Amino acid sequence: MTKPVLLTVDDDAAVLRAVERDLRKQYGANYRVMRADSGAAALDTLRQLQLRNQPVALLLADHRMPEMNGVEFLAQGQKLYPDARRVLLTAYADTDAAIRAINEVRLHHYLLKPWDPPEERLFPVLDDLLDDWSREYRAPFEGLRVLGTRWARPCYDLRDFLSRNQVPFRWMDLDRRDPETVQLLEALGGRDLQLPAVVLPDGQLIEAPTTALLAERIGLHRTPGRQFYDLAIVGGGPGGLAAAVYAASEGLKTLMIEREAPGGQAGLSSRIENYLGFPAGVSGAKLTRDAVVQAKKFGVEILAPQDAACLRAEGPYRIVGLREGGEVSCHGVVLATGVQWRRLDVPGMDRLVGAGVYYGAGTTEAVSCANEDVFIVGGANSAGQAAMHFSQYARQVTMLVRGDSLAATMSDYLIQQIESTPNIAVWTRTQVAEVHGEARLEAITIATKEGESRRVDASALFIFIGAEPRTDWLDGVVERDAKGFILTGQDLLRTGKRPRGWNLDRDPWLLETSLPGVFAVGDVRHGSVKRVASSVGEGSVAIQFVHQYLATL
């Protein structure tokens, strides 16, 4: 396997040698260290590496270079290797430039010179960045290989399932027939395959697998390891993961049940920039990955993909029935099922879901959208983050917003980034009236509030509108509002009376539902703030009430 490249750039020969020396000493066993004495020379090196299909893990550039400074080089290098970690070496006086570079070139980190001793001021930073890069890097890779076609919904669903569960795989598009795909088809005897087809690392072929079958074959856990837990958490988004970490770290036997993959909608976010402690932003995938590792470290048992089908009370026990059979018993339950995107009800829409029309971020489609025209429906932060992500690949990204502007629904920092990105356009007072295409999306009809409409070519449409809770399975079990969001705490006492069937001589606690010992956190809760940090906070706070409840049993 070719060693990934660490490229360092500095016009000062002495500094360049020193950086190269430190990098070779620490990383030479696993990486190939290269250097360049100018931004132009470094770009030439990157172009040659790209032609040879060699991976680049790190771009480490000094800021004060003539003709092309470090920020300018990183901006150009990002186009050639968008996944490489970008680090700027700066003097104290250049701190403002480094901070601007966080937004301008998606800078991952900046370091002040001198960095001595490197064991304290250089290597810890690079260790984290290279660890993140190695986790996300996919090729060359000898793992799952998935054969299919881009425009077939089952193929998209399978890719999305693997990506959301952070299972490394190689996508092989039969429509493109690259040499590696042709060789694999020849090895399979040229047979007609039921798509999608998955080749396991041991060479075994599985055709058109269900997610349940594939989950079993790749080692995802879908059945509980015991019959009783102190706490069952339904939903693995930020709120559920936070609850799991705090519960297990405090000694509770904890089970988390997630319908699709840990992380929820936040896990699909390409970049979260207003989460405390991450000045350069953090991807939803990284945040989720680290949270899952943290939860497992404390002993949380995670079932995914698995779904809760029902909930009932039997004396001091709460029983959670599983969708595919079986049930688990516990004393406490935290409901953290989040929300799902509202369906867009226009002609042609349902037929093309997964074939150019996608609900949510569709991160698996980003690379496939290179040099294409992408449309995003929605004006909240999720839509804005997706627009910024797709702008790195697509020729043009157009946001369709029903309101008069983004100001009422999107964070200001994100609005500024969108406004400064040349290939993102924002069309306000518009909505999708119809989608067109047979086997795949080909065009959409856009209508304005003034009654005008026009048809435009489109290869991909990503929808981020509304938020609907999946709480029908709780009908008659806990009280919900008219839209299905779960009522908790003081919201259950608005009539001046306690909830129907409440048998305790106290009011429901904060975050507690109308069923004692069952709590709701995050987006599924009535009146919640739709932010990752808020969900994490509620998940952690809920565990304090779980402890109080368990103490009364």
Side-chain angles (χ1 to χ4, degrees), residues 147-479:
L147 292 142
T149 60
R150 178 184 174 188
W151 306 112
R153 181 170 182 176
C155 296
Y156 167 75
D157 289 342
L158 185 63
R159 297 199 311 275
D160 188 56
F161 165 76
L162 292 173
S163 294
R164 296 190 66 174
N165 280 281
Q166 300 190 27
V167 177
F169 71 95
R170 177 137 188 160
W171 167 244
M172 311 183 81
D173 194 335
L174 297 184
D175 292 331
R176 295 188 175 183
R177 298 280 175 145
D178 60 80
E180 186 177 353
T181 302
V182 172
Q183 291 174 2
L184 180 58
L185 290 173
E186 291 175 352
L188 293 171
R191 54 184 288 189
D192 291 332
L193 300 173
Q194 298 182 52
L195 302 178
V198 180
V199 181
L200 300 179
D202 62 4
Q204 186 175 357
L205 174 69
I206 307 177
E207 298 183 63
T210 63
T211 54
L213 173 62
L214 188 57
E216 179 181 343
R217 299 303 299 274
I218 62 179
L220 297 180
H221 296 289
R222 304 184 61 252
T223 57
R226 59 174 67 226
Q227 293 183 329
F228 175 80
Y229 298 84
D230 296 316
L231 177 68
I233 301 169
V234 184
L241 285 167
V245 167
Y246 277 86
S249 68
E250 294 169 7
L252 299 182
K253 294 182 177 64
T254 304
L255 175 73
M256 190 174 78
I257 305 167
E258 166 54 42
R259 182 170 65 102
E260 294 178 340
Q265 289 186 1
L268 294 173
S269 177
S270 58
R271 190 177 179 87
I272 303 169
E273 296 194 60
N274 57 354
Y275 192 75
L276 185 66
F278 294 90
V282 60
S283 71
K286 174 176 169 50
L287 196 63
T288 297
R289 181 174 62 246
D290 291 348
V292 168
V293 170
Q294 193 174 16
K296 289 182 176 179
K297 180 186 74 170
F298 290 121
V300 176
E301 186 179 336
I302 299 177
L303 303 186
Q306 184 57 271
D307 201 6
C310 59
L311 173 64
R312 70 181 189 274
E314 292 184 2
Y317 301 101
R318 302 294 176 257
I319 312 298
V320 180
L322 303 178
R323 181 72 61 187
E324 297 177 19
E327 57 186 27
V328 293
S329 176
C330 55
H331 280 321
V333 175
V334 171
L335 302 172
T337 52
V339 294
Q340 60 186 5
W341 298 114
R342 182 163 56 84
R343 312 300 283 184
L344 191 59
D345 186 18
V346 300
M349 182 66 68
D350 291 342
R351 183 181 71 254
L352 296 175
V353 172
V357 173
Y358 310 97
Y359 287 91
T363 52
T364 56
E365 296 304 294
V367 176
S368 298
C369 291
N371 299 316
E372 295 182 350
D373 295 329
V374 171
F375 288 81
I376 292 176
V377 180
N381 277 13
S382 296
Q385 290 162 356
M388 291 300 300
H389 180 58
F390 281 99
S391 70
Q392 299 179 59
Y393 303 92
R395 175 175 55 233
Q396 178 69 40
V397 178
T398 302
M399 299 186 68
L400 305 177
V401 183
R402 294 187 63 181
D404 294 333
S405 72
L406 295 173
T409 54
M410 187 178 293
S411 297
D412 182 67
Y413 80 89
L414 202 47
I415 295 175
Q416 292 184 32
Q417 290 183 13
I418 289 171
E419 289 176 345
S420 64
T421 304
N423 64 332
I424 297 180
V426 179
W427 295 355
T428 58
R429 300 175 62 83
T430 60
Q431 59 185 357
V432 177
E434 187 174 358
V435 298
H436 310 277
E438 294 301 323
R440 51 162 292 188
L441 179 68
E442 298 174 359
I444 61 176
T445 295
I446 299 172
T448 68
K449 287 188 176 181
E450 290 73 25
E452 301 174 351
S453 65
R454 59 169 165 160
R455 175 169 168 161
V456 296
D457 293 337
S459 59
L461 178 68
F462 297 90
I463 301 165
F464 300 82
I465 56 172
E468 296 178 339
R470 288 184 60 259
T471 56
D472 291 346
W473 64 286
L474 294 169
D475 188 28
V477 180
V478 298
E479 292 190 16

Side-chain angles (χ1 to χ4, degrees), residues 103-116:
N103 287 329
E104 293 173 4
V105 301
R106 299 287 184 268
L107 189 69
H108 293 96
H109 211 284
Y110 67 89
L111 295 167
L112 295 179
K113 297 188 297 184
W115 61 88
D116 289 324

Side-chain angles (χ1 to χ4, degrees), residues 60-75:
L60 179 63
D62 183 66
H63 180 58
R64 292 192 177 186
M65 295 189 295
E67 298 181 4
M68 180 185 297
N69 64 36
V71 173
E72 292 169 341
F73 160 71
L74 291 174

